[in-house]
Each structure stands twice: as C-alpha cells, then as structure tokens.
C-alpha cells in the first residue's frame, strides 16, 4: 500500500500532463488561424472606429442638429446645391463670393438631390443656404400660389428660414419639342398638346412628382399622355434621338438653342415665376455677417443671358464649375460669355484634382461599412443558437430586396439628415447578408469530432470558439467579407446622391451634364478599386489555404 499510492499519483499525473500538453499543442496548431483572425479583427475595429470618427466629423460639419454639430457649423459656412448644372454653378458662385469674408473656406455640398432632399438638409442644419427659385419655394415648400418676396419671407420665417438676394434672372419650367415636329403637328402652345395623345412625354422624375409640375399641369390643360421618367441631363439626348417627343426644360438651358427646340407657350399661365435667389437659415447673417454682406453684393448681377452663357460653358464646353464661377466673379458678364474651349478628355477627367479626395471618401465609406457589418454579423453567426441562423439570414436577406435609393430615402427620414451617416447605415445593412451567411456556413461545416475533441480537452466554450471553431470557419468568413466588399464598392456610388462623396460624385455630375467622359471617370476608379480588393482577398484566402 505505501508503494502503491505514489505510483497511483504518478499515473494520475500522466493524463493531466497529457491533457495540458494537448491543449498547448492545440493552441500552437491554431496560431496560424487565430493570428490571421486577430489581424483581421484589428483591421475591422480600426476601420469601424475610423468610419465612426469620419461620420462624426461629417456630422460636426453641419449634418447633425446636436450641440457639437452646431458648434462646428458656426465656424464653417456650408452651401448646398441641387443636382443640375445651374445649381452646381450658383453654389460655387456663392462659395467663392463669400470665401474672402470667412476665416476658413466654405464647404460646398454639391448635387445633393432634388428639392425635397436639399430642403430637408437645410432644415436639419446640414447646410446653411442654397440657390433656390421663388416659384419652387411657393409651390413646393409653402404650398401657396403667391410668389411675392414679402409673402415668401413671411411664410418661411416660422420655419427658421429666409429668402433673399434675388440674383437677377428667372429660370422657369416649360415644355419643349423638336421644332420640325411641332411645325408639322401645328403645336405652339401647351393647350395644343391635348389633341395629340400619341406624343411620347419624357419628363424629369422631380417634375413628375412636383406640386407645380406634371400633376397640376395635366389637370390644367387636360393632357391625356402618360409621361416616362428621365434624368434631366439625359432628356435632351433622348429628344434629339427621337426616343421621346416632349420634355420638360429649364428656360436657361443652353441646349434649347443648340438643338433648335420649340418652347411651347404657357397660354393659360400655369407656371409661376422662378426668380433665382438665396434660401437660407435665419441665423446665417448673424453667424457670418461679413460673408452675408459679400453674398448680398450678388443681387441683380446675373441676368438671364449671363446664366445661359455660364450653363453653356459647363454643358457644351466642358468647363469646370469652379472655373466658371471664378471667371464670372473676376470679370462679370464678360467672363460668363467667354469663348468656348475644347472639352477635356476622359484621361484628364480621370486624373482630376479631386481623385485623391474621392478615393479617400470611397475607401473609408466601404471599409467602415464592411467593418461595422462584420462586427454585427460574425458574432451573430458564431454565437447564434442552432435554429437562429435561418431567421437571421431571412431578416438580412429581406434587407437586400429593398432598392438602394428607397433605403437611403427611409434612412434620411429616420435619421433626419443627409450625407455620410445614412449612406454608411445603408451600406452596412447591405453588407450584413454575405458576411452572416458565410459565417453560418463556416460554423456549420466544423466536424462534430473536432468539437467533441475540444470538449474532451476541457476547453471552455469561448476557448473552443477562439482556438478551434473560429480558425476552422475563417476561410468561409473571409469569403463573405470579400463578397460584401465588392457589393459595397458598387453600392457606395449611389451615396453621392445624398452628398456622401466618393466616386459616385463624378457619376452624378456626369448625369447632370450628360457627360460620358465624366461618367467613365467615376466608374473606372470604382471598378479598379473593386479589382484591387478582389486581388487582396485572393491573396488572403491563399494564405489561409496553406
């Protein structure tokens, strides 16, 4: 008995030592997988933190209504614009006119969208002012017929807004046709259209939905046609190519004269006057008194011919918006009517001065969205109970069915702001499904024997996940990240429609100008970024397969 007990103790120590050695061996064997997982987790956390900080910084520049945003907005004058040529130009004119009277350069959020989007940005404090038109304020914002300046100011004051600084021209809505077709059909007025049901109408989407647009126009003139929606920048091309017969136009569009179109007379006086002016938050003159005085000096300086000339330089001559504004402010109408210059090629537009800025915005937006999606999807896929993955995947899949523009609209409404935050939220939601699906597939593919062996070694649940299960599922998770990144790079171009930047900014501007070169200058870098990310993920997956 005395000799047996030590032997028994020695035999008992053997299995314990063996289990300890086995755990150490398992840990060593998993180092390759867990090391890569740790590096990946660090990248995801860094990207998520950077994206959150970036979104916060964007909010501080005026996208939020919190105190921090208000404080930042007090230091930076933020000017917005709609998504058509004239609005882009006027936003630059405002910015450059105000810049000498400011401590820092003003921020320009160009091409934010239609009236509803830009007006919401103004109300939320995302922008301080933007170029607007008296008729639009009356019909779309105040829901009234009165375009008198005093009536507009009285209606806007309870909203914390004001309208001032009439620029000196009116840019009204009208309908136009090819002159030869109008002469052949004997059409000269809007009333004449009612007798020609066969005419194909191609109208801008905003005009179709505006209170002062198609619905009221069709009722007033009893027009029987059903219009198709077209981007305003593409409508002239469609008309010239004979794909539509009637389009809506702005009276200062340069292509009216270039294409020899007939503008149909509004014989019943349906459209109001659309005098261009500044729509602003009432606190702007107090916060930026010197800049407001500088803007006030623009009153009456831009007549209709000068505006048409500036639009011509942008749409027909390919001159940049900043250059047009700078020339006008330097020499007035002489510069506005400056001779045309040859359009720059695709290569010049591709390597433009904004390439680095747009690339940084696009990469940050995609990296932050994928990181945030992974921070949600991977833990859910790893820790979910046995029956939960199917429900989680169904919920994530449902989000994929929502069109991107519709999702952005809902998020703008929910968050009460435009720009980076709703864009980041939308991209994160779209990236959830591929990451969660691949995580669930990877976890389901782990052999039951491996889990049993881990349990036999005495590993606790989190140890089993970290040392055994996660390294085994990692190749599948990385494949999900790869898919999510490719989806996000493409979808992120839509973010430019709400002022979130990225390569989509060029695409949006190219649509407004009907400029194929600018469209390619936005599409090609996005495609190159997608290919680069594919290459990096391919290298990562090869390393995991070793």
């Amino acid at each position: 008995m005395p000799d047996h007990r030590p032997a028994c103790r020695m035999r008992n120590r053997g299995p314990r030592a063996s289990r300890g050695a086995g755990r150490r061996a398992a840990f060593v064997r998993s180092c390759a997988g867990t090391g890569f997982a740790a590096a990946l987790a660090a990248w995801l956390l860094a990207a998520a933190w950077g994206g959150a900080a970036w979104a916060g910084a964007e909010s501080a520049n005026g996208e939020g209504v919190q105190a921090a945003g208000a404080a930042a907005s007090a230091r930076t004058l933020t000017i917005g614009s709609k998504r058509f040529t004239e609005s882009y130009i006027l936003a630059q004119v405002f910015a450059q006119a105000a810049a000498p009277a400011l401590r820092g350069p003003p921020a320009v959020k160009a091409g934010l969208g239609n009236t509803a989007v830009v007006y919401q940005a103004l109300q939320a404090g995302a922008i301080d002012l933007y170029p607007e038109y008296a008729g639009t304020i009356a019909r779309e914002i105040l829901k009234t017929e009165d375009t008198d300046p005093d009536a507009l100011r009285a209606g806007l004051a309870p909203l914390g807004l004001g309208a001032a600084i009439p620029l000196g021209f009116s840019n009204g809505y009208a309908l136009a046709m090819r002159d030869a077709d109008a002469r052949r059909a004997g059409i000269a007025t809007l009333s004449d259209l009612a007798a020609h049901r066969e005419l194909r109408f191609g109208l801008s989407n905003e005009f179709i939905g505006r209170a002062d647009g198609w619905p009221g126009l069709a009722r007033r003139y009893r027009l029987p046609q059903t219009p198709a929606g077209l981007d305003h920048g593409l409508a002239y091309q469609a008309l010239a190519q004979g794909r539509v017969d009637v389009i809506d136009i702005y009276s200062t569009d340069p292509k009216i004269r270039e294409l020899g179109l007939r503008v149909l007379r509004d014989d019943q006086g349906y459209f109001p006057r659309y005098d261009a002016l500044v729509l602003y938050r009432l606190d702007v003159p107090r916060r930026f008194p010197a800049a407001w005085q500088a803007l006030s000096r623009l009153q009456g300086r831009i007549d209709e011919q000068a505006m048409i000339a500036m639009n011509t330089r942008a749409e027909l001559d390919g001159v940049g918006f900043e250059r047009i504004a700078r020339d006008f402010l330097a020499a007035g109408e002489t510069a506005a009517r400056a001779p045309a210059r040859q359009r720059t090629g695709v290569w010049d537009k591709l390597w433009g001065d904004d390439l680095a800025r747009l690339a940084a915005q696009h990469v940050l937006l995609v990296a932050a969205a994928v990181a945030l999606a992974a921070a949600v999807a991977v833990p859910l896929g790893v820790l979910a109970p046995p029956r939960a993955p199917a429900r989680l995947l169904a919920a994530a899949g449902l989000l994929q069915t929502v069109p991107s523009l519709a999702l952005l609209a809902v998020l703008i409404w929910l968050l009460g702001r435009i720009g980076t935050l709703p864009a980041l939220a939308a991209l994160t939601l779209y990236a959830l499904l591929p990451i969660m699906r691949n995580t669930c597939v990877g976890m389901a593919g782990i052999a039951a024997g491996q889990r049993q062996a881990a349990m036999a070694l005495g590993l606790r649940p989190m140890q089993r996940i970290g040392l055994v299960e996660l390294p085994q599922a990692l190749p599948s998770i990385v494949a999900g990240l790869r898919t999510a990144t490719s989806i996000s790079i493409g979808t992120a171009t839509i973010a430019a429609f709400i002022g979130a930047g990225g390569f989509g900014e060029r695409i949006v501007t190219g649509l407004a100008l009907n400029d194929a070169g600018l469209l390619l200058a936005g599409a090609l870098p996005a495609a190159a970024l997608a290919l680069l990310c594919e290459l990096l993920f391919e290298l990562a997956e090869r390393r995991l397969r070793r």
Side-chain angles (χ1 to χ4, degrees):
M1 191 67 177
D3 294 334
H4 176 71
R5 294 182 61 169
C8 182
R9 288 175 185 160
M10 290 180 66
R11 283 196 297 270
N12 287 342
R13 287 192 187 110
R16 291 177 184 169
S18 176
R19 285 197 298 270
R23 286 195 294 267
R24 287 191 295 272
F27 177 78
V28 171
R29 285 194 300 269
S30 67
C31 276
T34 54
F36 185 84
L40 181 62
W43 175 80
L44 291 174
L45 288 173
W49 179 85
W54 174 47
E58 289 289 323
S59 296
N61 277 332
E63 290 186 43
V65 294
Q66 291 84 357
S73 181
R75 294 190 298 271
T76 303
L77 177 66
T78 305
I79 300 167
S81 86
K82 298 184 187 181
R83 197 172 58 83
F84 64 95
T85 304
E86 184 168 292
S87 193
Y88 282 108
I89 293 172
L90 290 177
Q92 286 295 333
V93 170
F94 293 173
Q96 293 183 30
L102 294 168
R103 294 181 180 179
V108 178
K109 293 187 177 294
L112 293 179
N114 60 19
T115 300
V117 175
V118 186
Y119 174 64
Q120 185 178 29
L122 185 69
Q123 282 190 307
I127 58 176
D128 295 309
L129 57 90
Y130 74 95
E132 192 50 281
Y133 303 89
T136 300
I137 295 172
R139 298 284 182 90
E140 281 288 285
I141 297 175
L142 299 179
K143 311 300 182 184
T144 180
E145 301 287 326
D146 194 350
T147 59
D148 179 74
D150 292 334
L152 295 182
R153 284 191 287 270
L156 290 169
L159 303 174
L161 305 177
I165 315 177
L167 300 176
F169 73 95
S170 175
N171 181 12
Y173 270 120
L175 299 187
M177 298 179 62
R178 291 180 295 273
D179 186 65
D181 293 347
R183 279 190 284 106
R184 185 166 53 250
I187 298 175
T189 68
L190 293 180
S191 294
D192 295 335
L193 294 172
H196 296 273
R197 182 182 295 270
E198 75 282 359
L199 293 176
R200 298 164 297 171
F201 280 53
L203 308 179
S204 65
N205 293 290
E206 181 176 6
F207 185 77
I208 290 175
R210 285 175 63 116
D212 58 340
W214 174 253
L217 183 70
R219 286 193 300 270
R220 173 71 65 86
Y221 285 98
R222 298 183 179 181
L223 301 179
Q225 297 85 356
T226 301
L230 276 176
D231 187 273
H232 185 75
L234 303 177
Y236 286 99
Q237 182 179 353
L239 184 64
Q241 294 175 350
R243 298 202 302 271
V244 297
D245 301 312
V246 181
I247 64 171
D248 63 297
I249 55 98
Y250 303 134
S251 58
T252 56
D253 285 347
K255 291 183 180 178
I256 299 171
R257 185 180 303 171
E258 183 199 24
L259 298 177
L261 303 182
R262 174 175 292 190
V263 179
L264 304 181
R265 184 165 53 85
D266 182 11
D267 51 310
Q268 295 186 29
Y270 170 75
F271 292 113
R273 281 193 59 81
Y274 291 88
D275 296 305
L277 41 72
V278 178
L279 184 61
Y280 65 98
R281 295 175 64 85
L282 285 178
D283 61 350
V284 169
R286 176 182 55 80
R287 288 163 46 214
F288 307 100
W292 185 253
Q293 288 183 4
L295 288 171
S296 298
R297 288 193 285 271
L298 292 174
Q299 182 167 329
R301 282 194 59 189
I302 308 175
D303 63 23
E304 185 170 325
Q305 292 306 311
M307 194 67 248
I308 291 174
M310 287 193 279
N311 288 336
T312 300
R313 294 186 73 194
E315 294 189 11
L316 305 184
D317 304 334
V319 183
F321 302 131
E322 293 183 18
R323 170 70 181 277
I324 293 170
R326 184 166 61 250
D327 290 348
F328 172 78
L329 291 172
E333 294 186 10
T334 302
R337 300 185 174 95
R341 72 177 179 87
Q342 188 176 3
R343 278 182 176 267
T344 55
V346 175
W347 188 257
D348 294 325
K349 294 172 182 176
L350 180 63
W351 296 101
D353 295 337
D354 60 350
L355 180 61
R357 174 180 62 84
L358 298 179
Q361 290 173 342
H362 209 97
V363 170
L364 277 173
L365 197 59
V366 170
V370 173
L372 291 171
V376 174
V378 172
L380 286 176
V382 170
L383 302 174
R387 295 183 180 179
R391 298 172 185 173
L392 292 173
L393 291 174
L398 184 63
L399 291 172
Q400 294 283 340
T401 65
V402 181
S404 54
L405 286 177
L407 182 59
L408 285 173
V410 170
L411 289 170
I412 290 172
W413 174 71
L414 288 174
L415 298 173
R417 65 185 67 179
I418 61 170
T420 303
L421 190 59
L424 183 60
L427 291 176
T428 300
L429 292 174
Y430 281 131
L432 284 174
L433 179 61
I435 300 174
M436 188 180 300
R437 180 179 56 205
N438 280 47
T439 301
C440 292
V441 168
M443 296 299 291
I446 299 172
Q450 290 179 317
R451 287 193 170 95
Q452 292 171 359
M455 293 175 66
L457 290 172
L459 297 180
R460 292 188 295 273
M462 294 308 297
Q463 289 177 316
R464 291 199 305 269
I465 292 173
L467 299 177
V468 178
E469 297 177 5
L470 193 57
Q472 293 291 323
L474 193 59
S476 181
I477 295 172
V478 172
L481 291 171
R482 179 177 184 173
T483 303
T485 301
S486 296
I487 292 173
S488 297
I489 290 172
T491 309
T493 57
I494 305 296
F497 282 92
I498 59 169
F503 295 127
E505 192 172 299
R506 288 179 171 179
I507 295 174
V508 170
T509 307
L511 283 172
L513 295 174
N514 192 19
D515 187 337
L518 197 54
L519 289 170
L520 283 174
L524 290 178
L529 179 60
L531 291 174
L532 176 62
C533 289
E534 282 290 304
L535 175 61
L536 294 176
F537 275 107
E538 179 64 27
L539 294 175
E541 290 182 357
R542 285 184 183 180
R543 183 173 180 180
L544 287 174
R545 288 194 293 266
R546 289 179 184 175

